[in-house]
Amino acid sequence: MESTVAQKLEAIHNLQLIDSRLDALIKVRGALPEEVQDLEDEIAGYETRLEKFQNEIEAYEEEIKQLKESIKDSEKLIKKYQEQQMNVRNNREYDAITKELELQDLEIQVSKKKIAEAAVKIDQKKIDLDELNAVMKDRQKDLDQKNSELSTIISESESEEAKLNSDREKALKKVDERLIKSYKKIRANAKNGLAVVLVKRGACGGCFNTVPPQRQADIREKKKLIVCEHCGRILAGVEDEIEDPTPAPKKKRAKA
């Protein structure tokens, strides 16, 4: 069954009321959700750097291990060449073995130098690692505190938010798809999240620009969807002003 314009306006206005209440609940949380997300991203970045430092330390340790093996190989060769040097038959063989001994000795010196350099780099990386761990520990404390604050705020309105979301799902089913698309588009561009408003005191309830009397009459009839010509919000109705029943005090006449 096709809904009347009045029914559509009632449904979309009801959806707006629910969304406005949900907006209010989210607003109470302030910047906490963003702060929590920023801290989580920051800590994730630290974890990546920690992993990188750890991998670099392991790479230097592996390099030192290989260099020590190289030194052992060179020492074995030196021992072998020294034994051969004792049994040379001429000066040419002696000189050749001497060069090999010098070469292996140089290899050992180079390896030892590289080991020392790698050890310095490991020490520096460990310092960086400790400093980063300390920073990360502090940021984790901040995150735990922010999460605790956020959880407290969310828990206070959890049941209400759940009911509102349930009501919202029901309200959405009463609004046709085209109108929902327009509603979402207007809401996305509105600073206060209001896409559907009433005319209050002769003005749009969203941008507060004056709505002409004839247009107000058309809105009251609810025979067609009317939007504010200034802000594009859907005008769902006109709120009647309630007159103050208390009579104004009479002014006393000034004595002649």
Side-chain angles (χ1 to χ4, degrees):
M1 185 178 175
E2 184 68 24
S3 300
T4 64
V5 173
Q7 288 171 329
K8 287 180 180 179
L9 284 169
E10 185 182 355
I12 199 72
H13 187 229
N14 183 45
L15 179 62
Q16 177 66 77
L17 293 174
I18 294 168
D19 279 339
S20 292
R21 182 55 192 154
L22 283 167
D23 290 344
L25 291 179
I26 291 168
K27 193 175 179 180
V28 171
R29 298 168 193 172
L32 274 174
E34 288 79 11
E35 289 173 6
V36 166
Q37 185 61 56
D38 288 344
L39 282 167
E40 286 176 345
D41 292 343
E42 186 180 345
I43 289 170
Y46 290 148
E47 287 173 344
T48 300
R49 287 175 64 190
L50 284 172
E51 187 179 355
K52 184 186 174 188
F53 286 158
Q54 196 60 53
N55 289 339
E56 287 174 347
I57 288 171
E58 289 173 4
Y60 288 134
E61 287 174 342
E62 181 60 29
E63 182 185 352
I64 288 172
K65 182 181 176 183
Q66 291 176 1
L67 288 167
K68 286 181 176 179
E69 289 296 324
S70 178
I71 289 172
K72 285 181 182 180
D73 292 340
S74 292
E75 286 172 345
K76 287 178 183 178
L77 286 171
I78 286 172
K79 188 176 180 182
K80 175 186 171 184
Y81 290 140
Q82 285 174 340
E83 289 174 356
Q84 288 179 354
Q85 202 174 38
M86 300 295 291
N87 300 310
V88 294
R89 290 171 294 184
N90 51 56
N91 288 338
R92 189 177 65 182
E93 287 183 3
Y94 184 87
D95 290 342
I97 291 173
T98 300
K99 284 182 181 180
E100 287 295 335
L101 285 168
E102 289 173 353
L103 181 63
Q104 293 305 317
D105 185 60
L106 183 62
E107 285 285 341
I108 289 172
Q109 296 309 314
V110 170
S111 293
K112 285 182 177 179
K113 183 182 177 184
K114 287 181 178 179
I115 287 171
E117 289 171 351
V120 170
K121 288 176 182 176
I122 287 173
D123 289 341
Q124 184 57 54
K125 288 294 174 186
K126 284 182 177 178
I127 291 170
D128 293 341
L129 204 63
D130 290 341
E131 289 175 352
L132 193 56
N133 267 317
V135 171
M136 190 173 163
K137 190 176 179 181
D138 286 340
R139 301 312 280 159
Q140 186 62 53
K141 282 182 182 177
D142 292 340
L143 177 59
D144 292 343
Q145 183 181 346
K146 296 285 183 186
N147 264 325
S148 177
E149 291 173 16
L150 185 58
S151 295
T152 300
I153 293 171
I154 290 172
S155 65
E156 287 172 353
S157 60
E158 193 172 11
S159 58
E160 184 182 358
E161 190 172 348
K163 185 181 183 303
L164 284 168
N165 279 316
S166 175
D167 291 344
R168 189 176 191 277
E169 288 300 314
K170 293 173 185 175
L172 279 169
K173 292 175 183 177
K174 296 179 181 179
V175 185
D176 63 69
E177 197 173 330
R178 285 179 62 190
L179 191 52
I180 288 172
K181 281 184 180 178
S182 298
Y183 170 78
K184 286 181 177 178
K185 188 176 180 181
I186 299 168
R187 231 173 93 77
N189 294 323
K191 289 182 180 179
N192 54 10
L194 292 176
V196 183
V197 295
L198 297 175
V199 175
K200 298 181 180 181
R201 296 183 179 179
C204 169
C207 66
F208 309 111
N209 278 292
T210 301
V211 178
Q214 182 55 49
R215 200 165 181 78
Q216 289 186 45
D218 293 339
I219 295 165
R220 285 180 189 276
E221 287 182 0
K222 297 185 179 182
K223 289 182 178 179
K224 60 181 178 179
L225 290 172
I226 298 174
V227 299
C228 175
E229 59 187 16
H230 298 284
C231 66
R233 289 179 172 89
I234 298 167
L235 300 170
V238 179
E239 186 176 82
D240 294 318
E241 291 185 40
I242 301 171
E243 293 183 8
D244 189 349
T246 308
K250 293 180 180 180
K251 292 182 180 180
K252 292 181 180 179
R253 287 185 180 181
K255 291 181 180 180

